[in-house]
Amino acid sequence: MPASFPKKYKIFISLFPLLCVMFTARCFGQQSATASPNRFKFKTVIIDAGHGGKDPGSHGTYSKEKNVSLSIAKKLRDAINDEMSGIKVVMTRSTDVFIELHKRTDIANDNHGNLFISIHCNSSPQRKGSSRGTLLLVYGFHRSQEQREALRENASIFIEKDYKEKYNGYGDDAAVNTIVLNAFQQKYRKQSIQFGDLVDNQFRKTNGRHSLGVKEQGVLVLAQSGMPAVLVETGFINNPSDEAYLNSTSGQNEIVRSILTALKQYRNNLEGINSNPPYIITLIKHLCFVLIFILLNISTTIKNPL
């Protein structure tokens, strides 16, 4: 540092590392103070491999939807177990068996799932079609009654401590019950679309897949799930190019990786965990203000020396 450098700025620059430490401690302290020990924890994901057993689903030239969906579902289960510790994975089927639709949702609801992911393959009317790409489905409003019934049967509300007080008398009054269940339904619809958008973004931007987007439809297996639910159409099995992709190890791994990445993002969003936590942003802002202040004063001194 030059000997002629103004003394007060020598002090500023000398103290800058100390200021960094002080601001870091302050911001981390704020983060600890505001963290809620009772915030929502994402615990259970339900993976539903579409069709199975006597129900083959859609056909390609050489493959069946039930086999492709099961293979992807099992890979997704294994990936979650490997990379998302603390998350319970429940499969509606893990072998080539036929599971009725209502039993699939029963499995999901009985295990108090936080998210229902149903894996399928799409198909067009033609035997060999030209339609291609992915599609994400969430339940449509015209099936809202089934979803309300599922919510009513789902015990997740009742197992919460003091649920009557928290939900203002839920369980005593039919009108109040309807309001509460509608609130949950709206919340689950929003979360379903959020997860669908995250998966869709991964398919498009990471894998370069053609996508038909996120759409609302009256899919029964989604309508009866008392939780956020998304049906993933992984590709058109009767399109030769998509069929080859869906049956390849690399294609299935890409699909799994996209869903897994989206699931991590979704969980972090729900639990309030961000890639750029508020305390880091606050820290950067404080340090920038200090640095700018020093530089402006130095610039002024150089231009207008005493």
Side-chain angles (χ1 to χ4, degrees):
M1 189 180 299
S4 60
F5 206 71
K7 183 178 179 181
K8 63 179 180 178
Y9 299 119
K10 289 182 181 180
I11 296 173
F12 266 129
I13 294 172
S14 299
L15 290 177
F16 190 72
L18 178 61
L19 290 172
C20 291
V21 174
M22 291 172 61
F23 281 126
T24 302
R26 177 175 178 268
C27 294
F28 273 90
Q30 287 179 340
Q31 175 70 9
S32 299
T34 56
S36 171
N38 297 318
R39 69 184 181 188
F40 172 81
K41 283 291 183 182
F42 186 91
K43 298 178 180 178
T44 305
V45 59
I46 313 298
I47 301 178
D48 173 50
H51 309 281
K54 64 183 180 181
D55 176 15
S58 300
H59 291 266
T61 303
Y62 56 87
S63 61
K64 299 175 181 178
E65 180 182 2
K66 67 172 185 176
N67 297 327
V68 173
S69 64
L70 179 60
S71 180
I72 294 173
K74 290 166 73 174
K75 284 183 171 68
L76 179 58
R77 174 200 62 194
D78 295 343
I80 294 172
N81 287 335
D82 288 343
E83 299 187 29
M84 299 182 72
S85 60
I87 301 298
K88 176 184 176 183
V89 180
V90 177
M91 301 278 289
T92 58
R93 72 179 181 97
S94 54
T95 58
D96 185 19
V97 293
F98 175 71
I99 306 291
E100 295 175 347
L101 290 180
H102 73 91
K103 289 185 178 179
R104 295 172 188 262
T105 53
D106 285 346
I107 292 170
N109 295 331
D110 290 346
N111 282 278
H112 310 299
N114 299 122
L115 180 65
F116 184 88
I117 305 174
S118 191
I119 307 295
H120 286 256
C121 300
N122 214 337
S123 181
S124 55
Q126 304 84 6
R127 186 164 187 170
K128 183 179 288 189
S130 58
S131 298
R132 63 186 179 88
T134 60
L135 173 66
L136 288 304
L137 299 178
V138 300
Y139 65 86
F141 271 125
H142 59 292
R143 301 306 291 264
S144 61
Q145 183 58 39
E146 287 96 332
Q147 229 262 341
R148 278 197 292 271
E149 292 295 335
L151 285 168
R152 188 175 292 110
E153 295 300 324
N154 194 342
S156 61
I157 295 176
F158 295 101
I159 64 175
E160 295 186 31
K161 185 179 179 181
D162 301 324
Y163 70 88
K164 287 188 178 181
E165 288 75 15
K166 288 169 65 178
Y167 300 112
N168 195 24
Y170 181 84
D172 296 327
D173 182 84
V176 173
N177 293 351
T178 300
I179 293 171
V180 172
L181 292 173
N182 282 338
F184 269 90
Q185 185 184 28
Q186 290 297 324
K187 173 184 175 183
Y188 290 163
R189 173 180 175 270
K190 181 179 178 180
Q191 291 176 350
S192 299
I193 293 173
Q194 180 189 7
F195 178 67
D197 284 338
L198 289 171
V199 177
D200 186 54
N201 185 64
Q202 288 297 315
F203 282 154
R204 290 174 186 266
K205 295 186 177 181
T206 303
N207 295 343
R209 303 283 309 280
H210 174 70
S211 174
L212 300 175
V214 181
K215 297 183 179 180
E216 294 186 60
Q217 287 189 14
V219 181
L220 187 60
V221 74
L222 301 182
Q224 293 186 339
S225 300
M227 65 199 68
V230 175
L231 189 149
V232 183
E233 297 280 16
T234 54
F236 282 80
I237 198 169
N238 69 327
N239 175 301
S241 177
D242 270 13
E243 183 179 19
Y245 179 82
L246 292 171
N247 281 275
S248 68
T249 300
S250 60
Q252 291 186 5
N253 287 340
E254 281 189 1
I255 292 169
V256 167
R257 179 55 50 183
S258 290
I259 298 174
L260 181 67
T261 301
L263 182 60
K264 290 178 179 179
Q265 294 171 344
Y266 176 76
R267 180 189 64 174
N268 290 345
N269 291 343
L270 288 183
E271 295 184 351
I273 303 171
N274 301 310
S275 56
N276 294 306
Y279 63 87
I280 294 295
I281 296 174
T282 304
L283 172 63
I284 293 172
K285 286 181 179 178
H286 283 319
L287 295 180
C288 286
F289 284 141
V290 172
L291 186 58
I292 290 171
F293 176 77
I294 293 173
L295 293 176
L296 285 175
N297 278 274
I298 291 174
S299 176
T300 303
T301 300
I302 293 173
K303 290 180 180 178
N304 304 291
L306 294 176

